[in-house]
């Protein structure tokens, strides 16, 4: 669910916090900040008029499987046609393949609106984003020419086929085989599970990107390759032709996102083509995964936004008890406890939005920056923020959805409410595309060592500089934010140094707490930066940004010292003590 106020908040973060206007450069020659408002307005019409009305009916109906063909929930096919014809799929992709060449930052803002309106629907284009980026980076010129125009236009959709029954996050344990054919293709045989939108009736073809092993492949993750395997083999004109040997043999029964078909896919000698080099599939997989991780972070943010709007509207109407200054029975939005819950939801939503958009902007600038050093530093920030955007935002989505149920009271626990659906839908996001624990491991190991261990301290130093600007701003509320933020940054710097020196087991025991600390500090920093920008520009959003930054600095940074203790908790409880307690 989105509202016109949602669009205002998105615009505020894009323009004041993320400062998307900085990207009106040679790299994005067709982009101008004047595009932001009309793009968001048109996307809002699609979301509010087409996608949102299908959300609850789709949850009740779901997709169905008949004779190896998956049929989407009623209305989804027409909705996808509207999405495709609107050109929404191609926004951030090269014009050479039919895209619009616009910043990824603006595209993820649009996808947030789509995801907030109908998460089940949004998962279909989300997977296509990853497939397109993998082909752009790793595909052959022939593969790009044949498949990218169809994927970027939305005429065909893409999937990621990674997981197998015996191999969840451990992709190195996969067993799907790829045997060379005489014509340069490969015969792919095996089974994949949890394949989101692995089959459907929305488009004429589906392009599966499949991890498999060559006959002479090394064991483990070093021996996996990536293959392109379409549902229908393209004919001489590049159109969907003969059916390939890939079939959906089952649909998973899930806690939420019922209208998104999660498929068990059977490959029986299906014809596929190698993407990139043999046994180098891991690099291509991570191209898909990193794209998906930011998109899933946006998804968590979107569910938080939807939960807030639903809960806020309910609280404004639901009357119960008495409140100061209100005659008679008061709408529950007047009760301080409800106000506190709603403020948590809105403030954390805005902070998550700021983190995700900053990650997207860094991705844009890592390829579009005018100087090599600018591109290098932007890539560092993207690398650091990706696990935080994915994990912190999806945790916020679950928290906000839970608070939304709480605000609805007993009614929120009833299955017919949107509040309960949002809670069920949001719960998957911390799990897939690398669980949030895996994101914490990534942050505390690979990202901690990025650029010789200097990347994270460099980012924290930029936070520190921004904090000094807040202190010098002359605004009493921003000075108060600065005091809390300074303490938070110092605590995060201290545990960062400690993590570099401690043993790996102790470090990983505190990794999730470290990730939480990082998200809190980053969220307040970005909101406060936007608040200063908005005040300087005389923007109507200034008061909101200042107030929300202040609220989060008091709440999410108020207990930052306790989180630092949690990061170090492995010192007091070594591995053996933990295992003994788990007996």
């Amino acid at each position: 669910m989105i509202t016109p106020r949602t669009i205002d908040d998105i615009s505020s973060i894009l323009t004041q916090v993320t400062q998307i206007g900085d990207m009106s450069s040679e790299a994005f020659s067709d982009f101008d900040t004047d595009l932001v408002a009309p793009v968001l307005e048109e996307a809002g019409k699609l979301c509010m008029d087409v996608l949102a009305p299908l959300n609850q009916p789709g949850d009740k109906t779901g997709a169905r499987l008949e004779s190896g063909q998956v049929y989407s929930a009623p209305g989804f096919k027409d909705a996808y046609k509207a999405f495709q014809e609107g050109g929404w799929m191609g926004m951030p992709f090269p014009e050479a393949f039919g895209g619009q060449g616009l910043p990824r930052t603006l595209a993820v803002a649009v996808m947030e609106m789509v995801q907030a309106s109908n998460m089940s629907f949004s998962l279909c284009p989300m997977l296509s984003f990853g497939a397109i980026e993998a082909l752009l980076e790793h595909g052959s010129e022939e593969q790009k020419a044949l498949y990218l125009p169809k994927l970027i236009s939305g005429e065909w959709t893409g999937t990621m086929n990674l997981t197998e029954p015996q191999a969840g996050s451990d992709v190195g344990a996969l067993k799907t085989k790829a045997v060379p054919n005489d014509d340069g293709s490969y015969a792919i045989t095996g089974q994949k599970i949890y394949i989101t939108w692995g089959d459907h009736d929305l488009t004429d073809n589906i392009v599966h990107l499949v991890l498999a092993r060559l006959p002479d492949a090394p064991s483990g993750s070093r021996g996996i390759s990536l293959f392109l395997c379409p549902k229908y083999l393209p004919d001489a004109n590049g159109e969907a032709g003969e059916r390939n040997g890939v079939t959906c043999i089952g649909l998973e029964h899930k806690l939420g996102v019922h209208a998104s078909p999660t498929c068990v896919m059977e490959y029986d000698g299906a014809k596929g083509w190698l993407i990139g080099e043999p046994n180098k599939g891991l690099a291509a997989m991570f191209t898909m995964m990193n794209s998906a991780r930011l998109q899933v972070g946006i998804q968590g943010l979107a569910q938080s936004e939807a939960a807030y709007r639903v809960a806020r509207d309910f609280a404004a109407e639901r009357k119960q008890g008495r409140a100061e200054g209100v005659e008679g029975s008061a709408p529950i939005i007047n009760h301080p406890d409800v106000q506190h819950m709603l403020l948590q939801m809105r403030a954390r939503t805005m902070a998550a939005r700021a983190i995700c958009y900053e990650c997207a902007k860094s991705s844009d600038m890592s390829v579009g920056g005018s100087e090599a050093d600018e591109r290098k530093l932007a890539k560092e920030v993207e690398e650091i923020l990706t696990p935080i955007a994915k994990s912190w935002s999806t945790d916020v989505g679950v928290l906000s959805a839970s608070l939304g149920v709480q605000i609805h009271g007993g009614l929120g626990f009833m299955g017919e409410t949107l509040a309960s659906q949002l809670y069920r839908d949001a719960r998957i996001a911390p799990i897939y595309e690398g669980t949030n624990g895996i994101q914490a491991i990534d942050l505390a190991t690979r990202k901690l060592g990025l650029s010789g261990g200097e990347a994270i301290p460099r980012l924290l130093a930029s936070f520190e500089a921004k904090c000094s600007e807040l202190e010098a701003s002359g605004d009493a509320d921003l000075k108060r934010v600065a005091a809390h933020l300074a303490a938070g940054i110092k605590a995060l710097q201290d545990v960062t140094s400690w993590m570099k020196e401690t043993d790996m087991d102790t470090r990983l025991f505190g990794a999730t707490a470290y990730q939480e600390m990082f998200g809190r500090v980053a969220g307040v920093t970005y909101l406060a930066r936007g608040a200063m920008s908005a005040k300087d520009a005389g923007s109507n959003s200034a008061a909101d940004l200042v107030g929300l930054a202040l609220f989060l600095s008091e709440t999410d940074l108020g207990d930052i010292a306790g989180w630092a203790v949690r990061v170090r908790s492995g010192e007091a409880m070594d591995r053996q003590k933990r295992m003994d307690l788990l007996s």
Side-chain angles (χ1 to χ4, degrees):
M1 174 182 178
I2 66 166
T3 67
R5 189 58 193 271
T6 301
I7 298 173
D8 290 343
D9 280 353
I10 289 173
S11 179
S12 171
I13 297 295
L14 279 175
T15 57
Q16 302 301 331
V17 179
T18 309
Q19 297 173 358
I20 195 172
D22 294 347
M23 297 170 63
S24 300
S25 66
E26 185 177 336
F28 302 101
S29 56
D30 290 336
F31 172 70
D32 186 278
T33 49
D34 289 343
L35 281 174
V36 172
V39 165
L40 295 182
E41 182 181 355
E42 286 303 309
K45 292 176 184 177
L46 173 73
C47 292
M48 289 184 277
D49 298 343
V50 178
L51 300 181
L54 298 175
N55 192 23
Q56 285 184 276
D59 179 66
K60 292 179 172 63
T61 304
R64 72 184 194 279
L65 173 63
E66 294 179 3
S67 302
Q69 171 64 50
V70 174
Y71 296 91
S72 57
F76 272 49
K77 191 169 185 176
D78 288 340
Y80 184 83
K81 184 178 180 182
F83 176 87
Q84 182 210 338
E85 290 179 348
W88 300 108
M89 192 68 231
M91 285 181 64
F93 298 118
E95 293 177 88
F97 297 107
Q100 299 169 42
L102 294 172
R104 186 182 190 188
T105 311
L106 184 58
V108 298
V110 169
M111 279 304 294
E112 180 201 333
M113 296 165 68
V114 173
Q115 290 167 340
S117 303
N118 193 321
M119 181 170 165
S120 286
F121 176 91
S122 74
L123 289 168
C124 185
M126 190 195 89
L127 271 296
S128 292
F129 275 110
I132 291 167
E133 293 192 10
L135 283 173
L136 281 169
E137 187 165 339
H138 303 282
S140 68
E141 293 307 312
E142 182 181 7
Q143 290 167 349
K144 292 177 184 178
L146 181 57
Y147 290 97
L148 283 178
K150 300 281 193 184
L151 289 168
I152 288 172
S153 70
E155 186 176 343
W156 293 354
T157 62
T159 73
M160 294 191 295
N161 281 235
L162 313 181
T163 307
E164 297 182 9
Q166 80 291 342
S169 297
D170 182 11
V171 295
L174 65 85
K175 296 179 179 178
T176 297
K177 297 178 181 179
V179 178
N181 294 321
D182 293 337
D183 62 358
S185 66
Y186 294 80
I188 299 172
T189 301
Q191 190 178 102
K192 299 288 184 177
I193 61 171
Y194 304 156
I195 308 306
T196 302
W197 284 94
D199 194 57
H200 58 77
D201 61 345
L202 303 185
T203 59
D204 293 336
N205 207 358
I206 304 170
V207 182
H208 302 294
L209 271 57
V210 188
L211 288 182
R213 289 189 181 282
L214 295 168
D216 58 350
S219 61
S221 60
R222 293 177 303 163
I224 58 176
S225 300
L226 184 66
F227 298 87
L228 186 157
C229 186
K231 178 179 178 180
Y232 292 97
L233 300 172
D235 62 20
N237 297 316
E239 302 299 328
E242 178 187 350
R243 179 69 188 258
N244 205 357
V246 52
T247 308
C248 175
I249 61 171
L251 291 180
E252 305 287 359
H253 300 282
K254 309 185 295 293
L255 177 68
V257 287
H258 292 155
S260 169
T262 302
C263 302
V264 179
M265 304 298 294
E266 184 76 16
Y267 290 82
D268 185 11
K271 182 172 282 194
W273 288 265
L274 181 68
I275 297 175
E277 298 179 34
N279 306 322
K280 300 290 185 181
L282 201 61
M285 183 198 76
F286 273 110
T287 298
M288 292 189 289
M289 290 290 284
N290 282 333
S291 169
R293 283 170 177 173
L294 176 56
Q295 288 289 345
V296 171
I298 295 288
Q299 201 172 89
L301 150 65
Q303 299 314 291
S304 183
E305 171 66 30
Y308 169 69
R309 295 298 167 189
V310 170
R312 197 259 175 224
D313 288 353
F314 177 83
E317 296 175 1
R318 170 69 165 143
K319 293 183 177 181
Q320 187 168 315
R322 298 193 177 272
E324 184 177 343
V326 180
E327 292 186 14
S329 184
I332 63 173
I333 198 170
N334 292 281
H335 299 312
D337 180 58
V338 174
Q339 291 171 351
H340 194 274
M341 287 189 284
L342 288 169
L343 277 170
Q344 287 182 69
M345 295 168 78
R346 183 163 188 235
R348 287 178 176 146
T349 298
M350 290 288 271
R353 184 175 284 131
I355 291 170
C356 288
Y357 289 11
E358 189 70 18
C359 184
K361 182 184 178 184
S362 298
S363 175
D364 280 326
M365 299 311 293
S366 72
V367 295
S370 57
E371 302 293 336
D373 284 348
E374 181 185 15
R375 294 192 295 271
K376 178 180 180 294
L377 291 175
K379 187 63 178 177
E380 280 186 357
V381 175
E382 179 196 6
E383 292 272 348
I384 296 165
L385 290 183
T386 293
I388 298 166
K390 193 278 180 183
S391 63
W392 201 79
S393 303
T394 56
D395 284 342
V396 164
V398 174
L399 175 63
S400 289
S402 179
L403 288 173
V405 170
Q406 186 72 15
I407 288 168
H408 278 73
L411 183 63
F413 198 67
M414 299 298 105
E416 66 268 17
T417 62
L418 182 54
S420 69
Q421 181 193 333
L422 292 170
Y423 187 36
R424 289 185 287 103
D425 287 351
R427 192 59 191 85
I428 184 59
I431 297 172
Y432 60 14
E433 308 307 341
T435 66
N436 286 0
I438 288 174
Q439 306 306 312
I441 292 169
D442 177 46
L443 181 64
T445 55
R446 196 168 72 87
K447 302 306 168 58
L448 199 63
L450 191 64
S451 298
E454 294 301 315
I456 285 180
R458 190 159 29 238
L459 179 59
L460 296 183
S462 73
F463 288 178
E464 203 170 23
K466 190 57 62 178
C467 189
S468 297
E469 292 181 32
L470 290 170
E471 177 61 36
S473 70
D475 183 287
D477 285 340
L478 290 180
K479 283 179 176 290
R480 192 164 179 173
V481 172
H484 288 296
L485 188 55
I489 294 169
K490 179 64 165 59
L492 187 55
Q493 289 171 323
D494 288 347
V495 295
T496 297
S497 298
W498 172 84
M499 291 189 87
K500 289 181 177 180
E501 301 299 325
T502 194
D503 66 276
M504 187 59 69
D505 185 75
T506 304
R507 183 196 300 188
L508 293 181
F509 192 68
T512 294
Y514 178 66
Q515 188 164 252
E516 175 67 23
M517 280 185 72
F518 216 128
R520 292 180 177 213
V521 170
V524 173
T525 300
Y526 293 139
L527 283 186
R529 183 182 74 187
M532 283 195 299
S533 171
K535 281 179 66 68
D536 291 344
S539 170
N540 293 335
S541 63
D544 276 5
L545 290 171
V546 171
L548 294 171
L550 178 61
F551 175 81
L552 278 188
S553 72
E554 299 274 338
T555 53
D556 280 16
L557 297 185
D559 62 350
I560 204 72
W563 280 96
V565 172
R566 291 178 67 171
V567 173
R568 294 185 170 96
S569 60
E571 289 182 319
M573 184 173 290
D574 63 25
R575 187 178 186 84
Q576 188 56 52
K577 286 182 180 179
R578 287 178 246 141
M579 292 302 294
D580 290 344
L581 289 171
L582 295 173
S583 60

